[in-house]
Amino acid sequence: MTPRPTRPLPARPAGYVELARYSSLGRFWSYLGAAERAGREVTSPRGDPPELCRRRVTGYTLPGAALFLDTPRVTEHLEDGFETHPALLALLSGDPGPLRAELNAHYELRVNFVLAFTAGRDLIAKPDFRFAPIVPGLGTLPAGLPLQARRLGRDEVHLLVQRGCGLA
């Protein structure tokens, strides 16, 4: 196990979602310990000293998560630069079903995030959720398609962070 960080962040940086108020350093450590026990990679973000209470957690994937896709972003991309694929043509006509079926069959949601603890005793996370092929080359969607998760609510992010740490 990596050394336990002890210095909280002075404030909540932009882009972070509050998971819990009035949390504790022990709770932060329990999330990190559970993530390591679950086989996730827990690292310090580049440039952070080891004692700072901020860690990147990677290695959790969620199959069958097409309902999290940001379909408006995909539609906007298709309107700017048209790409042919049966699922994308159906999306342009207003039916996201074939695209979601393709994602559920050949893609998974990579649930990566940065978990941090602040001096205000807030447990916070910065999500980086993206779709990626389960087996590279098996999916038939164009490579430049923006397959990103939609903006998730605080409770959804919290549940995915807990699952990513092996706590739910």
Side-chain angles (χ1 to χ4, degrees):
M1 183 182 226
T2 58
R4 291 183 169 183
T6 55
R7 194 177 84 205
L9 295 175
R12 179 177 10 163
Y16 281 75
V17 176
E18 178 185 284
L19 302 179
R21 282 191 177 178
Y22 306 111
S23 192
S24 68
L25 196 54
R27 186 169 182 197
F28 176 68
W29 289 341
S30 71
Y31 271 73
L32 297 180
E36 286 183 337
R37 286 188 299 279
R40 314 295 184 247
E41 184 178 352
V42 179
T43 58
S44 287
R46 186 175 51 195
D48 278 2
E51 68 273 1
L52 192 64
C53 293
R54 179 167 41 193
R55 294 290 185 269
R56 179 176 314 285
V57 179
T58 58
Y60 177 63
T61 59
L62 187 63
L67 68 119
F68 291 118
L69 179 66
D70 186 356
T71 52
R73 180 176 286 173
V74 175
T75 304
E76 183 179 300
H77 174 78
L78 293 175
E79 289 172 356
D80 290 342
F82 186 75
E83 303 195 38
T84 58
H85 185 281
L88 300 178
L89 293 173
L91 179 65
L92 283 174
S93 68
D95 181 15
L99 178 59
R100 287 188 173 147
E102 173 71 18
L103 282 176
N104 284 336
H106 301 292
Y107 292 81
E108 61 193 1
L109 183 64
R110 294 206 175 139
V111 180
N112 299 329
F113 53 91
V114 176
L115 188 66
F117 180 70
T118 69
R121 298 185 54 162
D122 293 333
L123 185 64
I124 57 175
K126 183 175 185 176
D128 180 23
F129 304 155
R130 298 184 187 275
F131 287 91
I134 295 171
V135 177
L138 187 60
T140 59
L141 293 174
L145 199 63
L147 297 175
Q148 296 177 323
R150 62 178 166 76
R151 187 178 177 107
L152 301 176
R154 184 180 74 96
D155 292 340
E156 291 172 310
V157 171
H158 193 186
L159 179 63
L160 288 174
V161 166
Q162 286 179 327
R163 289 188 74 178
C165 289
L167 294 172

